[in-house]
Amino acid sequence: MHNCARYLIFFQYIGTKYSGVVKVPPHQMVKKGVQDHLEEAIQKLKPNNPVSVFVSSRTDTGVHAFSNSAHFDLQRKNNKPPFAEELLVEALNYHLKPEQIRINQAHRVPCDFHARYRAQSRTYVYRIALGVRHHTLLPLTEFNLCWNIPDTELDVDAMHEAASVLVGTHDFSSFRAVSSDMSLKNPVKTLDVSSVQLGNSFANTYFHRQISLLELTFTSRSFLYKQVRRMTGALVAVGRGVLTVSQLRDLLEAKDSLAYPKNLTAPPHGLFLIRVAYRESDLLFQQPSCINDLKD
């Protein structure tokens, strides 16, 4: 088994055409998840083992990523040595060409490494375009890549104050959407970063008019289902004067998902997962090979 290797890959995607990042059961498949396409690309390398990709960070339909991560085991046929990391990136991107999915980098990692459980933090950025009368007037580089809000004025100072309320260790039950695994997930999370700052359009230099953008950044070790989109929606509501900072604080302290106001959740297409961070020591490959009885 000396030619069996575990790899950690970092990958990007535009989520518009995919049913989220995770694999879609065949009987439910209207459109595939990003994981489906990753596994298909790996299978085209003709491995000796059936390949399963384990994604670190789940994103929903329409959500994008500049750097999600996943691990998988790959054993080459005919006793060939493991792929070099750079060659693996090139080969997978060749097979992913028709898709809006690309591998950024690959690392060979120890065989007990797990992309999800070894992650130290995840960072999301939510992009908001302001003052564009209709979303069809956005440059193509922004279409389905930001939340267009026609309001030209948001109270950014109030949003800063509200964002600071969310920082720290809290029960974020009010900011999670109802899901089948709610009872299994601890609602207490530590939000290390919650910030609001000016951003730039991807076409800022070349488009015929300036596009005002806000970027909301959130960093935590892990997040609850739709937590980032619900926090974003609440901060925008503060900026619009629909919620006060005090009301947002009350919402947080309510610790009740049903306390979250209806129709406030930010849409998925403005959200980007931009970083999954690991300890450098966890990425060091030290073991010579995988073994048969590894459990994922």
Side-chain angles (χ1 to χ4, degrees):
M1 293 283 292
H2 72 277
N3 64 335
C4 179
R6 178 163 293 189
Y7 294 96
L8 170 70
I9 55 171
F10 293 93
F11 57 100
Q12 59 180 305
Y13 49 91
I14 301 299
T16 307
K17 63 180 285 189
Y18 304 112
S19 184
V21 71
V22 298
K23 196 169 183 175
V24 179
H27 66 280
Q28 296 179 4
M29 192 174 290
V30 177
K31 51 185 178 180
K32 294 181 179 180
V34 174
Q35 181 184 355
D36 291 293
H37 292 286
L38 290 173
E39 291 185 357
E40 288 174 6
I42 298 167
Q43 288 298 136
K44 288 178 180 177
L45 302 181
K46 300 180 180 179
N48 203 36
N49 60 305
V51 173
S52 295
V53 169
F54 296 85
V55 177
S56 74
S57 307
R58 182 168 185 160
T59 59
D60 295 329
T61 301
V63 176
H64 320 290
F66 283 131
S67 189
N68 203 337
S69 62
H71 80 264
F72 59 90
D73 294 330
L74 192 152
Q75 181 188 12
R76 300 184 71 187
K77 291 181 178 178
N78 302 322
N79 235 15
K80 290 181 180 179
F83 283 105
E85 295 160 343
E86 298 83 358
L87 181 59
L88 180 65
V89 171
E90 292 176 11
L92 290 178
N93 281 338
Y94 174 82
H95 292 299
L96 286 165
K97 275 193 298 186
E99 301 300 328
Q100 291 186 304
I101 304 168
R102 291 294 180 271
I103 310 301
N104 301 337
Q105 53 184 302
H107 299 269
R108 191 173 176 189
V109 290
C111 293
D112 62 350
F113 180 91
H114 199 291
R116 178 182 175 189
Y117 301 120
R118 293 291 182 92
Q120 296 301 298
S121 68
R122 295 160 172 88
T123 299
Y124 287 87
V125 168
Y126 197 101
R127 304 176 70 248
I128 300 170
L130 300 174
V132 179
R133 184 170 51 83
H134 193 269
H135 71 276
T136 58
L137 299 176
L138 288 167
L140 288 174
T141 52
E142 300 297 340
F143 194 75
N144 281 331
L145 300 176
C146 64
W147 179 15
N148 179 52
I149 298 179
D151 310 50
T152 54
E153 293 293 334
L154 291 178
D155 187 341
V156 177
D157 288 339
M159 293 175 70
H160 279 297
E161 184 181 353
S164 68
V165 170
L166 301 174
V167 173
T169 303
H170 307 285
D171 183 325
F172 281 98
S173 292
S174 296
F175 291 91
R176 71 172 171 185
V178 175
S179 64
S180 58
D181 62 353
M182 277 182 65
S183 61
L184 305 175
K185 301 285 187 179
N186 185 349
V188 177
K189 302 290 179 183
T190 299
L191 191 63
D192 298 308
V193 174
S194 174
S195 69
V196 180
Q197 60 262 331
L198 294 176
N200 289 308
S201 166
F202 294 139
N204 190 52
T205 305
Y206 307 105
F207 199 53
H208 65 276
R209 65 175 179 274
Q210 285 289 111
I211 303 293
S212 297
L213 272 126
L214 285 181
E215 292 185 350
L216 280 60
T217 303
F218 305 96
T219 299
S220 177
R221 182 158 192 154
S222 62
F223 292 89
L224 300 167
Y225 181 50
K226 294 189 179 179
Q227 180 185 342
V228 174
R229 288 169 55 196
R230 286 164 76 103
M231 291 190 299
T232 296
L235 293 181
V236 169
V238 170
R240 284 173 153 169
V242 175
L243 285 179
T244 65
V245 174
S246 178
Q247 287 172 323
L248 182 136
R249 185 179 287 107
D250 291 342
L251 178 61
L252 176 65
E253 293 175 355
K255 304 174 186 177
D256 180 4
S257 62
L258 298 179
Y260 189 87
K262 291 182 179 180
N263 303 318
L264 213 62
T265 304
H269 54 264
L271 184 57
F272 287 77
L273 173 61
I274 65 164
R275 185 167 189 253
V276 182
Y278 297 92
R279 293 190 185 97
E280 285 190 22
S281 58
D282 283 340
L283 303 184
L284 296 176
F285 174 68
Q286 297 171 327
Q287 300 179 30
S289 64
C290 296
I291 56 176
N292 283 316
D293 59 352
L294 281 173
K295 301 297 184 183
D296 291 294

